[in-house]
Structures are given as structure tokens and as C-alpha cells.
């Protein structure tokens, strides 16, 4: 290293770098344990040395060569500047580092999951807005309803005649130029929603696989050794704040790893085991009983609410207020009952915080998905067969209100569950202390909100945009509440598998359940006669059948018809495809088992 041995060593270093190829020289400079300023100085000296050699060996480069070199350097500088600006725009990057350093990976996993869902909804909004909403603007008629402001809470009134809901979209083929290109709104609507769910399926599947391989299969996730202590420090860090943040982060990681190593296995007597089993059984019976009671209440309330809605109200204000009864009650249940589940978890006294979180998450997912299931039954079996002129818009309004009220209750939960709890714990009852961040309850709030958004996409295409704004606000509100109101977990523990579990819960009960709801709506329910792009059809999917019948008359489109009849609607094709997928999964499973065996053998050899 030239900075240790003086000027002669510096000249040798510059000479060696000048003799390398461009790629080798860039890699060698990048690997130097120096600041960016020093690296730039070395690079400039090397470039000067190369230019001297080129002048010595030959004449001046041609004008064309100089222009190309100058353009390449300018583009590279522009790219570096642009990447720095984009890095600064990622407002959550520094926030996540601070949270990980202060509160550990368990709390950090919640914010990583929230950021992941935020990006997911941005993608959803862009797809729906591009292929469904923008074409509808070209055929939209003026809205004659007045805007009062209450629509922001109820989703009714003025919003009924906007692109927010299914009923406003036309069933016509949009064409602004005579004899020009046209846009079939029926096909655009069903194909956009269908392809979107296929993409969602693949994203969730690959995300689960990525996190699984990173946290379960990767042997580094299980190894705790001196490398984290001796080889982790980044010597490019010179800023004092960044140094302190890195120190805190390393300190938290080492504590988590030591907790894993020093984990004690408690041995209980027979009586203690029997008592613990009885407590767990009573807690599960109580939690399941409360979930059943909540679902029963939601079912009867929703039916009664629909009857009152069909009868009509004396005045508009009373009708608007009645619309909010169901979402407020549902959000109250989803907010208050998880606090009871957390209290039950503390009574059960689990051996590790991980067990407490996973049990709480399981109870919350049973509660929330049961309520969503009851609401879906109410929408598809009762609202869809009601006398409403546009039952799809009615469902879209219900889901809009549920999403909005759930967002408001999420903010209120941060105030009452964390801010007031801190005031009580630090002034009234000092022994309680500040609260810890409830990961299980907060994660299930996100999964519940995302499930509602998926269900509502068919009935309200712009719902992902509303959820995107809600998640963005929740991110910063939760961050401020965490920093000001909560204390780090008393028991530090490592959560390598937490993110994998969150995405699995989002995929397995939630996304697959949404697919079944969308499938029933598209294939079995009759659309409204007076609204929406599928009016007058026996089902939404009938639009695809009509399109295929039209294509049969065109010779150039025979291949599309063949694919539809022989692949998409053929049960044998899906049976063969499923068999092939199962064989591939089995082969990969065997490969993983073989790699695990090889890893064990290599560890034994290292130990020896």
C-alpha cells in the first residue's frame, strides 16, 4: 500500500495500475481500503500516466477518438450523479438503517415488509391506471353530481360517477378516430385484472423463494463466528454519524447472535407442563370463541345494514352516516381484539419472543381472514343477488370504506396503543415503562389491508393508489411513533425467517383466498344490466368467449383460437403441467437435501 511506504511506492502503484486493462484497473481501485476522494486522486494519476504513455508511443489521438472518449466520460459522470440523486430520494434507506441499529431485526422486518407492500401497490396502481383508467377518460361523460366532502369518507355520491368504481366504465369499444385503431374496454378490463393477478402470483412466489434461500438454505444465516466481529467493518465510512450508526448496528447484530448461541432450553416438571398446556388450551379456546362471535356479529350487522340501505333513509346525512356503521364496527373489532390476543400471549409466558409473535400472528390471521370471508360471502351471495342497480359499485364502495376506516384506526392505534401507553408507563405507573413495538398486530394490519385491496381491484380499479398513499403515511407515522414512544425489545433475538413468514401468510391464506373470490365473481356471477363494461353478458368471462368467436372468422388469428381451445380451456393440459411442476419440485427438494448433507459433512471437516 503506497500510503504506508511513501512516494516511490505510489509511483510503482500508479505504474502497475496503468499497465492493467480497464476492467482490472477499475476493480483494483475499488478494492482499495480508501475513501472515495483518495480513490479519485489515484484514478486521475493513472489516467495521466496512461495519456503520457500514449503520447510517447504515438501521436495525438484523432478528433473522433477524443470526442468518443469525452462523451463516454460525460455519460459515466451523468450516470453516477443520477444514481446519487436516486439514492437520496430513497427516503426510507437511512430510516431502515437507524431502526435496525436501535431496535434490531425483529422490528426492522415490519418496516421492510411495509416498504415491500408499498412498492407492490405502486406497481398495481400503474398497471390499472395505464390500461383501464386512461382509456376510460377518453369516453367519459361529464359528472353532474355535486361534491359535498362527505364522499371522501363514504365513497358514495359524487364518486359514483367517476373512474373510481366499476359501474362508471363503458362497455363500448373506444375509438377517437373514424376507421382508426379501437380499444375494447371489456377485454382490456378482464385481461388487465387477470394478467395483474398472474404477475402478483409470480412475484409472491419468487419473493418467497428468494427470502427462503437467503434465510433458510443459506448456511451463513446459521453460522455465528468471529468474522462478524473482525471482518465486517467498512473502512470507507468516515462520517461520524455513519460510524456511530454502524457501531450500533453491529452491536445489535452481535447481541442477537449471542442470544441464539446462549439460548437456554428450560426443563419443566410434569405438573408444570400440564399447567402450561392448560393455559395454552384456555387461551386458544378464548381466542377462537371471540373470533367466532366477531364473525357472527359482522354477518348479522351486514345483512341488517343492506336491508336499511334498500329501504332508504329520511335524509342524505342519515344515509351517509349509516354507510359507515359496518366499516367502523369491523375496524373496531380488528383493532381491539388483537390487543386482547397480545395480553393472552403475555399470560402464556412463551420461552422466546419469536414463539409469542408467531402465535399472536396466527390468532390474528384467523380473526381477520374469518371476518374477510364473512364479508365476501355477504358480497357475493347477498349483495350480488339484491335489487341494486349496480351491485359491483356497491361492493366497491363497501371496500373503499373498509380500507379508509381501517387506515384511520391504524393511525389511532399508534396514538392510543403507543403514545398514551408511553405516557402511562412513564408518568402514572413507572414500573410498566415504555411499550414495545407489537410486531404481530401491526403486520396483520398490513396483510388485512392488502387483502382488501386485492379483492377491491375488480370493483374499484384505483384502490391500489389509495392504499399506496395510506401505506406511505403509515410508514412515517409508525417510524415517528416507534422512535418517540417505544423501547427496544427487552429480549434481543434474531429473526432470519420473519420476512419469509410474512410473505407466506400474505400468499397462502390471503392471496389464494382472493383468487377464489375473483374466480367466483368472473365465472359464476351475472353482471349488472345497467352499469359496467360487462353489462348484458351472462358472466364477465363471456366477453372472452365472444372475442374468441370473432377471431374464428379470421385466418390470421387461428393460432390464438387453437391455444384457447387446446391449452387454456383444456383440463388435460393443466393436469400435465401440474404433474411436471410437482416432478420439478421433488427434484429440487432432493437437491436441497443433498446440499444440506454436504454442508453438514463440510462443517465436520472444518471442525476436525
Amino acid at each position: 500500500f503506497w500510503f504506508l511506504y511513501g512516494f516511490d511506492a505510489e509511483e510503482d502503484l500508479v505504474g502497475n495500475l496503468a499497465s492493467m486493462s480497464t476492467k482490472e484497473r477499475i476493480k483494483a481501485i475499488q478494492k482499495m481500503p480508501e475513501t472515495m476522494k483518495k480513490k479519485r486522486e489515484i484514478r486521475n494519476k493513472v489516467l495521466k500516466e496512461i495519456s503520457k504513455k500514449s503520447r510517447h508511443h504515438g501521436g495525438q489521438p484523432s478528433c473522433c477518438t477524443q470526442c468518443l472518449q469525452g462523451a463516454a466520460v460525460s455519460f459515466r459522470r451523468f450516470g453516477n450523479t443520477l444514481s446519487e440523486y436516486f439514492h437520496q430520494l430513497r427516503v426510507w434507506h437511512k430510516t431502515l438503517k437507524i431502526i435496525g441499529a436501535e431496535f434490531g431485526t425483529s422490528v426492522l422486518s415490519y418496516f421492510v415488509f411495509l416498504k415491500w407492500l408499498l412498492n407492490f401497490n405502486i406497481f398495481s396502481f400503474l398497471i390499472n391506471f395505464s390500461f383501464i383508467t386512461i382509456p376510460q377518460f377518453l369516453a367519459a361523460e361529464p359528472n353532474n353530481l355535486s361534491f359535498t366532502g362527505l364522499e371522501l369518507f363514504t365513497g358514495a355520491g359524487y364518486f359514483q360517477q367517476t373512474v373510481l368504481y366499476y359501474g362508471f366504465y363503458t362497455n363500448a369499444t373506444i375509438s377517437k378516430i373514424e376507421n382508426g385503431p379501437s380499444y375494447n374496454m371489456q377485454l382490456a378490463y378482464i385481461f388487465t385484472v387477470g394478467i395483474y393477478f398472474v404477475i402478483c402470483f409470480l412475484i409472491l412466489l419468487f419473493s418467497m423463494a428468494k427470502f427462503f434461500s437467503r434465510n433458510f438454505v443459506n448456511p451463513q444465516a446459521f453460522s455465528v463466528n468471529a468474522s462478524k466481529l473482525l471482518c465486517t467493518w467498512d473502512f470507507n465510512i468516515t462520517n461520524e454519524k455513519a460510524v456511530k450508526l454502524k457501531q450500533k448496528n453491529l452491536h445489535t447484530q452481535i447481541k442477537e447472535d449471542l442470544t441464539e448461541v446462549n439460548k437456554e432450553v428450560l426443563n419443566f416438571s410434569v405438573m408444570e407442563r400440564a399447567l402450561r398446556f392448560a393455559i395454552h388450551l384456555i387461551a386458544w379456546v378464548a381466542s377462537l370463541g371471540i373470533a367466532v362471535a366477531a364473525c357472527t356479529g359482522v354477518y348479522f350487522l351486514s345483512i341488517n345494514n343492506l336491508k336499511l340501505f334498500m329501504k332508504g333513509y329520511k335524509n342524505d346525512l342519515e344515509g351517509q352516516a349509516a354507510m359507515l356503521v359496518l366499516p367502523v364496527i369491523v375496524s373496531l373489532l380488528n383493532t381491539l381484539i388483537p390487543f386482547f390476543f397480545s395480553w393472552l400471549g403475555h399470560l402464556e409466558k412463551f420461552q422466546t419472543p419469536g414463539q409469542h409473535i408467531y402465535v399472536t400472528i396466527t390468532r390474528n390471521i384467523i380473526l381477520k381472514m374469518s371476518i374477510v370471508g364473512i364479508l365476501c360471502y355477504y358480497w357475493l351471495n347477498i349483495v350480488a343477488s339484491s335489487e341494486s342497480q349496480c351491485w359491483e359499485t356497491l361492493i366497491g364502495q363497501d371496500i373503499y370504506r373498509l380500507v379508509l376506516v381501517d387506515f384511520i384506526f391504524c393511525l389511532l392505534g399508534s396514538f392510543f396503543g403507543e403514545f398514551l401507553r408511553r405516557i402511562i408507563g412513564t408518568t402514572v405507573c413507572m414500573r410498566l415503562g415504555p411499550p414495545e413495538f407489537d410486531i404481530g398486530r401491526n403486520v396483520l394490519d398490513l396483510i388485512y389491508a392488502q387483502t382488501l385491496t386485492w379483492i377491491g381491484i375488480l370493483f374499484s380499479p384505483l384502490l391500489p393508489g389509495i392504499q399506496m398513499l395510506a401505506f406511505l403515511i403509515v410508514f412515517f407515522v409508525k417510524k415517528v411513533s416507534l422512535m418517540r414512544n417505544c423501547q427496544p425489545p427487552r429480549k434481543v433475538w434474531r429473526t432470519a425467517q420473519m420476512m419469509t413468514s410474512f410473505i407466506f401468510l400474505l400468499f397462502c391464506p390471503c392471496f389464494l383466498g382472493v383468487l377464489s373470490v375473483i374466480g367466483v365473481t368472473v365465472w359464476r356471477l351475472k353482471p349488472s344490466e345497467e352499469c359496467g363494461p360487462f353489462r348484458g353478458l351472462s358472466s364477465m368471462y363471456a366477453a372472452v368467449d365472444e372475442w374468441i368467436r370473432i377471431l374464428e372468422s379470421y385466418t390470421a388469428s387461428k393460432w390464438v383460437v387453437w391455444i384457447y381451445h387446446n391449452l387454456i380451456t383444456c383440463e388435460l393440459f393443466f393436469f400435465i403441467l401440474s404433474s411436471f411442476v410437482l416432478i420439478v419440485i421433488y427434484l429440487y427438494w432432493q437437491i436441497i437435501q443433498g446440499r444440506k448433507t454436504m454442508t453438514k459433512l463440510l462443517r465436520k471437516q472444518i471442525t476436525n
Side-chain angles (χ1 to χ4, degrees):
F1 296 98
W2 62 271
F3 50 84
L4 296 177
Y5 299 107
F7 186 74
D8 294 334
E10 179 183 350
E11 284 187 342
D12 293 340
L13 177 67
V14 172
N16 290 332
L17 289 171
S19 63
M20 294 179 182
S21 66
T22 306
K23 286 186 178 180
E24 289 175 346
R25 184 167 59 248
I26 291 171
K27 285 183 180 179
I29 293 173
Q30 284 177 346
K31 288 180 179 178
M32 288 180 181
E34 266 301 313
T35 61
M36 291 300 295
K37 186 179 179 182
K38 286 284 185 183
K39 289 180 180 180
R40 288 193 183 104
E41 289 177 3
I42 296 168
R43 184 193 62 189
N44 293 334
K45 288 179 180 179
V46 172
L47 292 174
K48 284 180 183 178
E49 182 69 20
I50 293 170
S51 63
K52 283 180 186 178
K53 287 182 179 179
S54 64
R55 282 197 299 269
H56 178 72
H57 290 297
Q60 288 286 340
S62 65
C63 180
C64 183
T65 305
Q66 286 182 347
C67 289
L68 288 173
Q69 288 177 350
V73 171
S74 300
F75 272 116
R76 189 161 58 245
R77 286 177 179 171
F78 174 73
N80 291 336
T81 307
L82 202 64
S83 66
E84 287 178 7
Y85 279 123
F86 274 119
H87 190 72
Q88 291 173 3
L89 286 173
R90 291 169 60 192
V91 290
W92 48 71
H93 184 72
K94 186 179 178 182
T95 301
L96 294 177
K97 282 191 171 182
I98 294 170
I99 291 170
E102 296 283 347
F103 296 89
T105 55
S106 57
V107 178
L108 176 64
S109 62
Y110 166 80
F111 286 90
V112 172
F113 184 57
L114 176 54
K115 188 196 80 168
W116 188 85
L117 285 177
L118 178 60
N119 293 332
F120 202 88
N121 279 281
I122 292 172
F123 164 74
S124 307
F125 171 73
L126 290 176
I127 284 184
N128 286 354
F129 189 76
S130 302
F131 295 102
I132 297 179
T133 306
I134 291 178
Q136 177 61 33
F137 280 130
L138 301 175
E141 297 177 358
N143 191 343
N144 298 320
L145 299 175
S146 59
F147 182 77
T148 61
L150 285 173
E151 291 89 346
L152 293 173
F153 296 98
T154 63
Y158 179 84
F159 286 156
Q160 280 183 320
Q161 298 300 320
T162 63
V163 291
L164 183 60
Y165 294 121
Y166 164 93
F168 183 71
Y169 289 84
T170 181
N171 65 336
T173 299
I174 301 170
S175 179
K176 282 295 180 182
I177 304 171
E178 192 174 349
N179 298 324
S182 59
Y183 196 83
N184 191 319
M185 201 63 198
Q186 288 183 342
L187 296 178
Y189 203 100
I190 195 167
F191 280 141
T192 301
V193 173
I195 293 170
Y196 165 73
F197 277 108
V198 171
I199 294 172
C200 286
F201 179 82
L202 295 175
I203 289 174
L204 288 170
L205 206 60
F206 283 113
S207 297
M208 277 196 300
K210 184 182 74 173
F211 285 110
F212 179 82
S213 64
R214 185 185 298 173
N215 300 323
F216 285 87
V217 179
N218 186 4
Q220 291 178 356
F222 300 103
S223 62
V224 180
N225 46 43
S227 63
K228 184 161 284 186
L229 187 63
L230 302 176
C231 309
T232 310
W233 189 258
D234 185 358
F235 287 93
N236 286 328
I237 298 174
T238 55
N239 184 274
E240 187 178 351
K241 287 184 178 179
V243 168
K244 288 182 178 178
L245 184 62
K246 185 70 175 177
Q247 286 174 342
K248 278 186 177 180
N249 213 326
L250 275 175
H251 178 255
T252 306
Q253 288 180 25
I254 292 168
K255 280 171 66 177
E256 290 175 354
D257 290 336
L258 287 174
T259 305
E260 286 286 313
V261 172
N262 301 324
K263 187 166 59 177
E264 295 181 5
V265 179
L266 301 176
N267 294 318
F268 297 104
S269 64
V270 176
M271 286 298 296
E272 287 174 334
R273 287 179 187 174
L275 181 62
R276 288 175 65 84
F277 178 78
I279 292 172
H280 290 319
L281 184 63
I282 292 169
W284 273 105
V285 169
S287 58
L288 292 175
I290 287 176
V292 170
C295 291
T296 306
V298 168
Y299 176 72
F300 285 109
L301 178 65
S302 58
I303 291 177
N304 187 56
N305 200 44
L306 181 66
K307 288 179 181 177
L308 292 174
F309 181 79
M310 289 302 175
K311 286 181 181 178
Y313 295 93
K314 295 177 182 177
N315 55 65
D316 187 57
L317 184 63
E318 184 182 346
Q320 300 273 356
M323 291 178 184
L324 294 171
V325 173
L326 179 63
V328 167
I329 296 298
V330 169
S331 297
L332 267 175
L333 293 173
N334 281 325
T335 302
L336 297 179
I337 294 176
F339 283 108
F340 175 72
F341 288 165
S342 297
W343 178 73
L344 281 179
H346 289 298
L347 284 183
E348 291 175 277
K349 294 181 180 178
F350 292 100
Q351 293 186 36
T352 63
Q355 291 177 350
H356 181 192
I357 288 175
Y358 284 124
V359 169
T360 305
I361 286 176
T362 305
R363 288 170 181 165
N364 282 327
I365 201 83
I366 291 171
L367 169 72
K368 291 178 183 288
M369 292 307 107
S370 299
I371 290 176
V372 170
I374 291 295
L375 289 172
C376 289
Y377 176 82
Y378 158 69
W379 289 325
L380 301 185
N381 288 276
I382 298 172
V383 176
S385 59
S386 65
E387 298 175 359
S388 172
Q389 290 184 343
C390 191
W391 59 266
E392 295 93 346
T393 295
L394 205 61
I395 294 174
Q397 290 173 358
D398 271 348
I399 297 174
Y400 172 89
R401 289 189 286 269
L402 284 167
V403 168
L404 182 68
V405 176
D406 179 72
F407 166 68
I408 295 170
F409 271 78
C410 184
L411 301 183
L412 292 176
S414 294
F415 179 77
F416 289 104
E418 292 161 7
F419 174 71
L420 289 184
R421 170 69 175 76
R422 178 180 67 84
I423 298 297
I424 294 169
T426 53
T427 56
V428 180
C429 187
M430 302 287 286
R431 67 183 182 84
L432 290 176
E436 292 184 18
F437 189 78
D438 194 336
I439 301 169
R441 177 174 57 83
N442 284 286
V443 164
L444 263 296
D445 287 342
L446 298 181
I447 292 176
Y448 170 75
Q450 185 59 43
T451 305
L452 288 178
T453 305
W454 276 332
I455 295 171
I457 278 177
L458 190 64
F459 310 105
S460 178
L462 295 185
L463 202 58
I466 298 168
Q467 195 62 269
M468 175 183 69
L469 296 175
F471 281 156
L472 189 64
I473 295 169
V474 166
F475 185 92
F476 289 104
V477 169
K478 290 292 181 183
K479 172 225 167 185
V480 172
S481 178
L482 176 74
M483 294 297 182
R484 295 184 178 275
N485 301 323
C486 299
Q487 63 173 339
R490 294 185 182 93
K491 293 181 180 179
V492 181
W493 57 296
R494 188 165 59 88
T495 55
Q497 300 89 7
M498 188 70 83
M499 189 67 183
T500 314
S501 305
F502 294 162
I503 296 180
F504 177 77
L505 286 173
L506 188 66
F507 176 78
C508 188
C510 304
F511 182 74
L512 295 181
V514 169
L515 286 183
S516 62
V517 171
I518 298 297
V520 169
T521 307
V522 170
W523 269 277
R524 299 192 62 181
L525 297 184
K526 183 178 173 58
S528 298
E529 294 287 345
E530 300 178 11
C531 71
F534 304 103
R535 66 189 80 174
L537 298 177
S538 58
S539 68
M540 293 183 183
Y541 190 74
V544 179
D545 290 331
E546 287 190 4
W547 178 59
I548 293 296
R549 280 196 291 270
I550 293 171
L551 290 181
E552 287 175 351
S553 59
Y554 295 98
T555 308
S557 304
K558 290 291 184 182
W559 63 275
V560 178
V561 178
W562 186 89
I563 289 173
Y564 177 77
H565 287 301
N566 294 281
L567 297 181
I568 296 175
T569 60
C570 179
E571 295 84 357
L572 180 61
F573 169 73
F574 284 102
F575 175 76
I576 295 171
L577 183 65
S578 303
S579 303
F580 176 74
V581 169
L582 289 173
I583 291 169
V584 171
I585 290 171
Y586 176 75
L587 290 174
Y588 270 99
W589 176 257
Q590 290 301 317
I591 290 170
I592 289 171
Q593 294 302 316
R595 285 177 178 173
K596 284 182 179 179
T597 306
M598 182 59 68
T599 304
K600 289 178 182 178
L601 293 173
L602 290 172
R603 283 181 183 171
K604 286 181 181 178
Q605 289 181 15
I606 292 169
T607 306
N608 292 334

